Amino acid sequence: MSMDATNIFLIVMIIGAFLFSVYDGVVLHFWKGKTVLSVPLRSRGKWDGYIFVGLITMLFISNAFLRHGPVSTSVLLAILGILFFYICFIRKGRVIFKEHGFFYALLFFEYKKMERINLSEDGVLVIETGRQRLLLFVRNEEDLEQILKIFTEKS
C-alpha cells in the first residue's frame, strides 16, 4: 500500500468514522450510568447523506475504473463509502436518557442545567440550556410522553 497524502487522509477519515460509530453505538449506552430511556428521533438531512455517499461513490468509480488508480486508494474509498452509508442511512439518531442527564448529538446535558422546555405545535420538543437551544424531533407521541415523564421526574 502506497502511503501518499490521499491514502493517509482516507485512513484518518476511516478511523474517525469508525470511532464515531463505536462511540455512538456502544459507548454512549454505558457511559454516565444506566440508560433510563433511549428514544429514536426523526431523520433530518437525508439529502446530505445522499450527496455525501454519492460523492464517495463517484470518487471510487473514478479512481477504480476511469483512471485505473492505485488499488489501495480504491479499497480505502470503498471502506469509507460503506462506513458513511451506515452512518447516513442505517444508524438512527437518538436521545439517550441517563439518571442525571441525557445524551443528544453526542453531547451530555445535565437535567439541572435545563432552563426551559417547550413543545411546538408540530411535536418538536425545544429544550433551552442557557447556552443553546436543543430541538428534539420525536417520531411519535408515546415517546414524547415518556420523555416528558422523565423530565418531570428528574427536574
Side-chain angles (χ1 to χ4, degrees):
M1 177 183 328
S2 63
M3 279 297 169
D4 56 354
T6 303
N7 286 354
I8 292 171
F9 176 77
L10 289 173
I11 289 171
V12 168
M13 291 295 293
I14 288 169
I15 291 170
F18 181 74
L19 290 175
F20 166 78
S21 297
V22 169
Y23 177 75
D24 183 56
V26 178
V27 174
L28 289 183
H29 291 285
F30 298 108
W31 195 25
K32 301 260 187 196
K34 179 184 166 206
T35 299
V36 177
L37 178 67
S38 179
V39 177
L41 300 174
R42 276 189 273 167
S43 178
R44 296 180 356 200
K46 268 289 201 219
W47 285 104
D48 296 338
Y50 289 128
I51 292 169
F52 195 70
V53 171
L55 287 172
I56 292 174
T57 304
M58 287 176 27
L59 285 171
F60 172 76
I61 291 170
S62 171
N63 186 64
F65 301 113
L66 300 178
R67 291 183 348 168
H68 302 293
V71 175
S72 59
T73 304
S74 298
V75 169
L76 291 173
L77 281 169
I79 293 170
L80 188 65
I82 291 169
L83 279 170
F84 277 109
F85 182 82
Y86 167 76
I87 289 171
C88 293
F89 301 116
I90 297 173
R91 178 191 143 273
K92 301 294 181 201
R94 57 184 49 246
V95 58
I96 301 171
F97 292 94
K98 302 288 186 168
E99 291 291 326
H100 302 288
F102 62 97
F103 283 101
Y104 174 69
L106 304 178
L107 299 174
F108 187 73
F109 300 95
E110 293 182 357
Y111 296 128
K112 63 183 178 183
K113 292 188 179 179
M114 294 186 326
E115 293 179 357
R116 206 172 340 182
I117 300 173
N118 295 322
L119 182 62
S120 70
E121 294 175 2
D122 55 348
V124 177
L125 192 62
V126 181
I127 302 170
E128 294 185 27
T129 62
R131 294 187 329 188
Q132 55 192 350
R133 180 179 291 171
L134 309 174
L135 302 174
L136 301 179
F137 292 86
V138 182
R139 287 186 179 190
N140 53 39
E141 288 185 27
E142 294 85 25
D143 291 337
L144 189 60
E145 291 171 5
Q146 291 177 338
I147 291 172
L148 292 175
K149 180 181 174 185
I150 286 178
F151 281 145
T152 54
E153 290 174 1
K154 303 294 181 184
S155 297

